[in-house]
Amino acid sequence: SFIFKVTTMKFAATLSTLFLASASAWSMSSTDNPSTKNARRNILSKGIAFAATAAAGSAANAYVVPDLPYPFEALEPYIDTPTMKIHHDKHHATYVANINKAREGKEEVPILDLMADALDAGTAVRNSGGGHYNHAFFWSEMAPHDKAKNTKPSKQLAELIKKSFGSEEEMKKQFEAKAAPGATFGSGWVWVVVNQKGDGLSIVNTANQDNP
């Protein structure tokens, strides 16, 4: 499946416009660029987009904060450099440190697998593991404006958007409504998700570090 998301932090509504104008903001959105498609496939197959890599030999360091695929300032004016640095270097790093501490001495598990039963796995996995998964995915799904403006959704994605929402503009409206202040109590995330049959999209929000 593919998921499109943005946090309900202060820049959420602004980000949605950038994302929806960009195929680079979607997991299955590359159209005619084989290098982009292959690069994304390699990332997903290795679990880097969701988890970064597992460090050999020690479950205590199983998860790491992935490097950004662009400079901190690359997303301005949509996200300013200080916000990027705080959320990548501090918030994300804290989630990684906490999930590694909670998993110390246990078998290494890919973060995607760890998320499968996160709601029942306890606070550390749900909050810290979820925080790592969500942020790693978040970073990998964004692109600088100069790159994003030259891309568009794939034919398959465009058809699903039209079928599910009527138009891309309507989808943006519904997305921004879900990301508006107060739509989610406290902090959280907004996601566009595909159904199990792969023939429809919907917009959902999750609180804190939960994910669909």
Side-chain angles (χ1 to χ4, degrees):
S1 65
F2 63 90
I3 307 172
F4 170 66
K5 78 294 174 193
V6 66
T7 63
T8 54
M9 292 182 282
K10 293 181 180 179
F11 50 80
T14 304
L15 279 180
S16 64
T17 302
L18 171 65
F19 287 167
L20 291 171
S22 168
S24 296
W26 298 80
S27 296
M28 56 176 295
S29 59
S30 58
T31 53
D32 299 321
N33 188 336
S35 62
T36 300
K37 186 179 294 184
N38 290 336
R40 190 174 298 282
R41 184 181 298 114
N42 288 338
I43 287 175
L44 294 177
S45 65
K46 295 177 182 178
I48 295 175
F50 304 101
T53 56
S58 174
N61 297 306
Y63 309 114
V64 298
V65 178
D67 293 333
L68 292 177
Y70 38 74
F72 283 111
E73 66 274 13
L75 302 183
E76 292 187 344
Y78 303 97
I79 311 180
D80 61 76
T81 299
T83 297
M84 290 293 294
K85 288 184 176 180
I86 289 172
H87 283 275
H88 181 270
D89 291 354
K90 293 186 177 181
H91 294 332
H92 193 169
T94 298
Y95 290 126
V96 167
N98 288 342
I99 189 60
N100 281 337
K101 182 178 180 180
R103 296 287 302 172
E104 188 171 3
K106 299 179 181 179
E107 179 183 1
E108 293 183 18
V109 179
I111 194 66
L112 185 58
D113 293 345
L114 199 64
M115 290 294 95
D117 62 348
L119 296 182
D120 299 321
T123 301
V125 171
R126 182 174 182 177
N127 292 343
S128 298
H132 174 41
Y133 172 95
N134 294 353
H135 282 83
F137 190 16
F138 186 55
W139 308 132
S140 71
E141 291 299 288
M142 292 190 288
H145 178 67
D146 59 350
K147 178 181 178 182
K149 68 181 181 180
N150 296 320
T151 62
K152 62 181 181 180
S154 66
K155 180 180 179 181
Q156 180 185 11
L157 180 56
E159 290 175 350
L160 282 175
I161 291 174
K162 183 176 182 180
K163 175 183 177 182
S164 303
F165 304 103
S167 68
E168 188 173 308
E169 288 304 315
E170 178 58 28
M171 177 177 156
K172 290 179 183 181
K173 291 180 181 179
Q174 293 186 30
F175 184 90
E176 290 180 358
K178 286 284 188 180
T184 300
F185 182 77
S187 63
W189 300 76
V190 177
W191 313 71
V192 174
V193 298
V194 63
N195 63 20
Q196 292 292 333
K197 293 182 179 180
D199 61 359
L201 304 173
S202 61
I203 300 174
V204 300
N205 51 6
T206 58
N208 301 314
Q209 297 305 325
D210 289 348
N211 45 62

